[in-house]
Amino acid sequence: TPMHDQGDGSYVAYLKLDDGLHQYKFVVNGSSWMQDPKADASLRREDGHGGFNSGLFVGPRGEDYGPAPRGDINMAAVLHRSNESRYFDVIDEGLVDVKLRTLHGDATRVVLRVAGQPERAIPMRVGETAFGFDVWDASVTSTDTTNLFSYYFVLSDGPTNRTYGAAENKESTTGVRPFARELKPSFTTSDWAKHVVWYQIFPERFRNGSTQNDPPHTVPWRWDWYKPTAWERMVEGKPFSNDWYGRRFGGDFQGVIEKLSYFHEIGVTALYFCPVFESNSNHGYDTVDYRHISQYFGTKGDNEKVIKRETLDPATWEWTPSDKLFLEFVKKAHAQGLKVIVDGVFNHMGRGNFALNDLLTHGRKSAYADWFDVNDWGPPVKYKSWDGGGAMPNFRKDGAKGYASDSAKKYIFDITKRWMDPNGDGDSSDGVDGWRLDVAEDVPRPFWQDWRKHVKGINSNAYISGEVWGPAPSHLQGDEWDAVMNYQFAMRAIRYFIDQKRKISTTEFDRQLKELLGMYSMQVNFVMQNLYDSHDTDRLANMIINPDRDYDGCNRPQDGCPYNGAKPGNQAYRVLKLMATFQMTFLGAPMIWYGDETGMFGADDPTDRKPMLWKDLEPYDNAQDRVMPDVLDHYRRVIAIRNTYRALRTGLLQTVLMDDANNLYGFTRSRGEEIVTVVLNNGANDQVAVVPSPYPNDTRVVDILTASGEYYDAPMSSLGFPAFAKDAKVRAFRAAANAPAFTVRDGKISVTVPKKSAVVLVRQ
């Protein structure tokens, strides 16, 4: 939000803000990010980059209403706004999330009364406590054919019951008039994205299926990463070669097709590919042409000839053998029940692209003169580049409309449609299912707002995820993206599970998670890509043995950082398994960086992008490079569990245990009658955890994470997966009938949880 000079050295901006906590910084001259020196220090929050955001709380706090009355309810502090998604949110196929605010410690019981035949009474639970308020939460399923949801609340404290409804009767004890809402979300996110487990692939390093398309100087797949090749130059005094950034190993779509069955075996249901289009590098973030898949991922040598025959008119665009191979892969993936999204690098292109070449040749007379951010027309022409060195020329932006160039915008819109509906018949089932957007905040919002309409017009159920490392609530209001890569989730988890000197308590971990969830609509939270690591960070295994750092900070030994890039020991992998369990059971869509499930390790770029480990290619030249069966088996089990229980995909979250002394954390995920209880032991010793049971006394409960049982292939539709391929199946798990069980006694479950481990409890 631009601030305006008042002429006296002060700058002012006016914003309309909803009630709640808002985080902000001042950005001076486009580069200097500053906290507000006059802000309330108690409201500041970590920004994820080693600093803090300032905080501003809008609206009343609990203390403004005075102390909670004994044996009664302070109705003036009670709040529910049925027209706001944070209080009433239609989430998924008749599933509604309803919240009510009360003064902290005021109500001892709140019941949501839902009209119908018969009227239903649904107990609510406190999901969050902040700023002197309790926020009560309940999930409700509705099959009302009128599509109208009528409800009110009954609040209790001691002998007193009070009702709370709509309009003038909202504080009445009799004759309450219910709230009434259509079962229509304020905005929608992709239904299928609420159910998937993501798997991120760096295509050049996943599998080499054909040596015919290998780039020059392709390194053998089994090569010891730390050993230089004959053409690589070492950096004097360091065990590192800058040439490693540009290594090629020959990964391609033939290799991905060859390993399609692997995704089914481990249970993942959605793939995100780092850039796949024609580019100059192994990483692809310097796209030369979005119209074509890289020749090194398909068939070498065809793209250059085709590009010369094409214009900006999509009618002139051809399909190369590499393009056709990619579309064949998409077809096979869809038939297996896999969703596929690709990287949209729309902030910049790569040096050598057709538009920049023409601009450099013809200057201001070029048809592409308004495409790029030129700062000196020369000659020679000079332009701004995202990398600072000219390899990634920035598209020229305009704050009012996004792109400054209408023809550049049309080009991006046209290639978007090309890959989402390849044959242009209006049926998007033969195209990609969505996009991940690189450096998304660098592109002005008007572009994304128009582009979202374009994408959703092609496929209303398409998925859009932006790359944002900080909080992003303003981008996730239904007019830009569906979600972001949830680095904020990773930062909180690392402070709890990994850090030692900077470790946060269980209570603080829960508070930070609730704060994060509270930033977004539940529609958004369910589709957030909950990750730990990616192509831009060190590997999770090595994060564990390098605690107490800023996230993604000081993790490249080649930069002189004291970083341990060696293979971790068994204790670190025990923590990794615990974190994987949390990731697969928490609210949101988990995302795995390829190879974490096999035990891959290493520092940040380029080492985090080593070739994928495959059992059939062992032994590798470095004996430490091998698939770790216990890690792979654990991922396979927790993913299958997530696939089996719909509550773990679209169930609401309720904290049931916070034990700071013993580092125990427990929560439930519930959807209707299906409830899963998860208890995490982040401590150094085995612990007995006693948690309230969501089931009646004498109910038998099993730890599905360790129970004997069997994997099975279930029709995706039978487990509640929407909009997936007909007859597609997914890997699930069921416990054996004779698996050891716990019995609910006095409304509680008592279970021993081994150190750095977890239990996942379900009704048998």
Side-chain angles (χ1 to χ4, degrees):
T1 302
M3 303 187 75
H4 302 287
D5 188 352
Q6 301 301 290
D8 60 357
S10 64
Y11 287 75
V12 174
Y14 294 92
L15 300 92
K16 183 178 180 180
L17 301 175
D18 293 329
D19 289 358
L21 179 65
H22 301 267
Q23 298 179 45
Y24 66 99
K25 270 197 175 81
F26 299 123
V27 186
V28 182
N29 295 327
S31 59
S32 179
W33 294 65
M34 299 172 55
Q35 294 181 59
D36 182 349
K38 295 185 177 181
D40 183 344
S42 68
L43 298 179
R44 74 176 189 169
R45 299 290 186 265
E46 291 187 46
D47 63 7
H49 299 280
F52 292 89
N53 292 324
S54 297
L56 174 68
F57 187 82
V58 177
R61 304 192 189 201
E63 62 195 43
D64 298 332
Y65 293 94
R70 181 175 297 178
D72 200 355
I73 306 294
N74 185 335
M75 296 301 292
V78 178
L79 182 64
H80 172 80
R81 292 173 177 160
S82 64
N83 62 337
E84 294 184 11
S85 61
R86 57 179 169 161
Y87 288 101
F88 185 95
D89 199 3
V90 181
I91 300 169
D92 175 60
E93 295 182 13
L95 178 64
V96 181
D97 178 34
V98 183
K99 290 186 174 67
L100 177 80
R101 190 194 76 184
T102 66
L103 201 61
H104 174 53
D106 194 4
T108 56
R109 186 168 184 260
V110 176
V111 174
L112 175 67
R113 305 288 304 195
V114 181
Q117 296 296 331
E119 183 178 272
R120 288 184 288 165
I122 300 165
M124 303 186 75
R125 296 179 177 179
V126 176
E128 179 184 6
T129 296
F131 301 104
F133 297 109
D134 291 332
V135 179
W136 298 75
D137 197 352
S139 62
V140 189
T141 54
S142 175
T143 57
D144 194 322
T145 56
T146 66
N147 207 35
L148 189 68
F149 191 84
S150 297
Y151 61 101
Y152 65 97
F153 304 90
V154 178
L155 300 85
S156 304
D157 187 15
T160 303
N161 294 321
R162 289 187 177 269
T163 56
Y164 181 88
E168 67 274 13
N169 295 326
K170 67 182 181 181
E171 297 178 15
S172 173
T173 56
T174 60
V176 65
R177 183 158 68 88
F179 294 97
R181 272 289 307 272
E182 283 187 293
L183 289 175
K184 181 179 180 181
S186 55
F187 68 92
T188 59
T189 54
S190 306
D191 285 342
W192 59 262
K194 302 178 179 77
H195 294 260
V196 298
V197 173
W198 289 99
Y199 192 88
Q200 183 188 354
I201 294 177
F202 195 79
E204 216 278 330
R205 303 287 165 80
F206 185 68
R207 179 83 175 188
N208 189 347
S210 171
T211 58
Q212 299 302 308
N213 57 18
D214 284 357
H217 298 300
T218 294
V219 180
W221 201 267
R222 299 178 178 86
W223 191 264
D224 182 350
W225 176 260
Y226 302 98
K227 178 182 176 181
T229 66
W231 57 85
E232 290 175 339
R233 299 155 294 176
M234 298 299 293
V235 177
E236 186 175 353
K238 295 183 179 180
F240 186 83
S241 166
N242 285 333
D243 293 328
W244 289 355
Y245 285 100
R247 276 181 172 178
R248 299 274 193 161
F249 283 85
D252 49 34
F253 277 105
Q254 291 93 331
V256 180
I257 292 173
E258 182 181 307
K259 284 296 183 179
L260 272 173
S261 61
Y262 176 75
F263 305 122
H264 177 74
E265 290 168 7
I266 64 173
V268 301
T269 43
L271 307 177
Y272 149 45
F273 285 91
C274 291
V276 298
F277 304 119
E278 191 64 63
S279 73
N280 299 311
S281 65
N282 62 23
H283 55 70
Y285 287 96
D286 52 350
T287 305
V288 171
D289 203 306
Y290 303 94
R291 294 172 293 193
H292 301 293
I293 301 299
S294 170
Q295 60 180 318
Y296 296 128
F297 298 159
T299 302
K300 188 163 60 177
D302 288 322
N303 289 3
E304 295 92 336
K305 295 179 291 184
V306 169
I307 291 172
K308 289 180 180 179
R309 297 195 293 263
E310 296 174 331
T311 69
L312 290 182
D313 182 358
T316 68
W317 297 355
E318 303 177 36
W319 295 104
T320 69
S322 297
D323 301 338
K324 293 177 181 178
L325 177 68
F326 174 74
L327 295 179
E328 180 63 23
F329 153 72
V330 171
K331 181 179 179 181
K332 291 177 181 293
H334 283 172
Q336 184 174 300
L338 282 167
K339 297 294 185 180
V340 177
I341 69 169
V342 294
D343 229 314
V345 188
F346 300 150
N347 174 69
H348 53 266
M349 290 187 73
R351 181 165 40 203
N353 72 76
F354 64 92
L356 184 67
N357 287 345
D358 190 273
L359 172 64
L360 296 178
T361 301
H362 299 104
R364 295 180 188 271
K365 296 181 180 180
S366 170
Y368 308 99
D370 62 349
W371 274 42
F372 300 101
D373 199 352
V374 175
N375 53 14
D376 185 350
W377 287 99
V381 174
K382 297 180 181 178
Y383 54 87
K384 294 182 180 179
S385 179
W386 188 83
D387 67 311
M392 299 177 179
N394 292 331
F395 282 115
R396 186 179 164 203
K397 312 300 193 311
D398 181 292
K401 63 178 185 178
Y403 272 25
S405 170
D406 292 338
S407 63
K409 176 180 176 180
K410 184 178 184 301
Y411 171 63
I412 296 300
F413 275 46
D414 286 341
I415 66 96
T416 299
K417 184 173 183 180
R418 174 178 174 85
W419 295 110
M420 292 187 66
D421 184 9
N423 62 9
D425 65 351
D427 179 0
S428 59
S429 62
D430 54 346
V432 299
D433 302 290
W435 301 80
R436 177 267 191 187
L437 306 173
D438 187 57
V439 291
E441 287 187 302
D442 289 4
V443 179
R445 289 179 178 175
F447 176 86
W448 295 129
Q449 290 166 343
D450 289 346
W451 187 77
R452 178 186 178 88
K453 295 174 184 175
H454 181 59
V455 167
K456 298 293 184 174
I458 301 169
N459 178 359
S460 61
N461 214 14
Y463 177 75
I464 304 171
S465 178
E467 182 202 11
V468 177
W469 290 56
S474 62
H475 294 286
L476 302 176
Q477 300 295 322
D479 61 347
E480 293 184 63
W481 320 320
D482 294 317
V484 295
M485 297 177 74
N486 202 359
Y487 286 105
Q488 290 290 305
F489 166 84
M491 294 171 190
R492 287 157 173 77
I494 285 163
R495 288 293 298 275
Y496 181 63
F497 290 108
I498 293 176
D499 282 355
Q500 298 171 10
K501 296 177 182 177
R502 299 170 56 176
K503 182 186 182 304
I504 57 177
S505 68
T506 302
T507 301
E508 176 62 12
F509 183 46
D510 181 73
R511 188 199 68 77
Q512 290 190 15
L513 291 173
K514 297 290 177 53
E515 181 182 72
L516 179 60
L517 292 174
M519 293 180 188
Y520 308 103
S521 159
M522 289 300 291
Q523 281 276 27
V524 171
N525 282 322
F526 278 126
V527 298
M528 291 287 261
Q529 291 179 309
N530 288 352
L531 75 164
Y532 290 131
D533 52 355
S534 73
H535 62 293
D536 284 326
T537 74
D538 42 341
R539 287 272 178 182
L540 174 59
N542 287 82
M543 292 181 187
I544 295 168
I545 60 172
N546 290 274
D548 302 315
R549 296 174 301 113
D550 292 336
Y551 184 76
D552 195 39
C554 199
N555 56 10
R556 302 175 195 255
Q558 64 267 30
D559 295 339
C561 284
Y563 184 87
N564 183 357
K567 184 170 184 175
N570 290 335
Q571 182 61 24
Y573 282 105
R574 189 180 185 96
V575 175
L576 182 144
K577 294 175 191 176
L578 173 62
M579 294 179 71
T581 302
F582 172 66
Q583 183 186 28
M584 296 299 161
T585 55
F586 192 69
L587 199 152
M591 184 160 73
I592 303 166
W593 174 226
Y594 82 95
D596 279 352
E597 79 281 7
T598 67
M600 287 183 67
F601 63 96
D604 198 359
D605 180 21
T607 307
D608 61 334
R609 307 174 185 181
K610 291 191 295 186
M612 173 68 175
L613 296 177
W614 295 109
K615 192 67 177 177
D616 65 330
L617 295 182
E618 292 179 358
Y620 283 73
D621 292 351
N622 186 329
Q624 290 187 322
D625 289 331
R626 57 180 180 81
V627 174
M628 298 181 67
D630 61 314
V631 177
L632 184 59
D633 288 347
H634 184 81
Y635 270 91
R636 184 183 180 214
R637 173 70 75 98
V638 292
I639 294 172
I641 291 170
R642 183 181 182 86
N643 290 340
T644 305
Y645 295 94
R646 193 171 184 178
L648 291 177
R649 307 194 306 271
T650 57
L652 296 184
L653 179 89
Q654 173 69 41
T655 303
V656 296
L657 176 64
M658 290 184 289
D659 183 341
D660 290 345
N662 295 305
N663 285 298
L664 291 172
Y665 183 45
F667 56 87
T668 59
R669 297 290 307 279
S670 58
R671 182 187 169 97
E673 296 299 315
E674 185 178 85
I675 305 174
V676 179
T677 301
V678 181
V679 182
L680 310 165
N681 180 2
N682 192 35
N685 301 299
D686 298 352
Q687 299 287 347
V688 175
V690 180
V691 293
S693 170
Y695 301 119
N697 285 337
D698 299 323
T699 301
R700 286 172 53 83
V701 177
V702 299
D703 174 19
I704 196 71
L705 189 60
T706 59
S708 57
E710 63 176 351
Y711 294 95
Y712 66 101
D713 290 340
M716 299 184 82
S717 58
S718 71
L719 297 179
F721 285 79
F724 282 74
K726 182 181 179 181
D727 301 327
K729 295 183 178 181
V730 68
R731 188 58 54 89
F733 184 84
R734 56 185 162 223
N738 61 350
F742 307 94
T743 303
V744 178
R745 303 293 187 197
D746 299 324
K748 298 177 181 178
I749 304 171
S750 179
V751 56
T752 298
V753 189
K755 63 181 180 181
K756 299 297 181 183
S757 188
V759 295
V760 180
L761 306 173
V762 298
R763 188 202 300 245
Q764 191 175 41

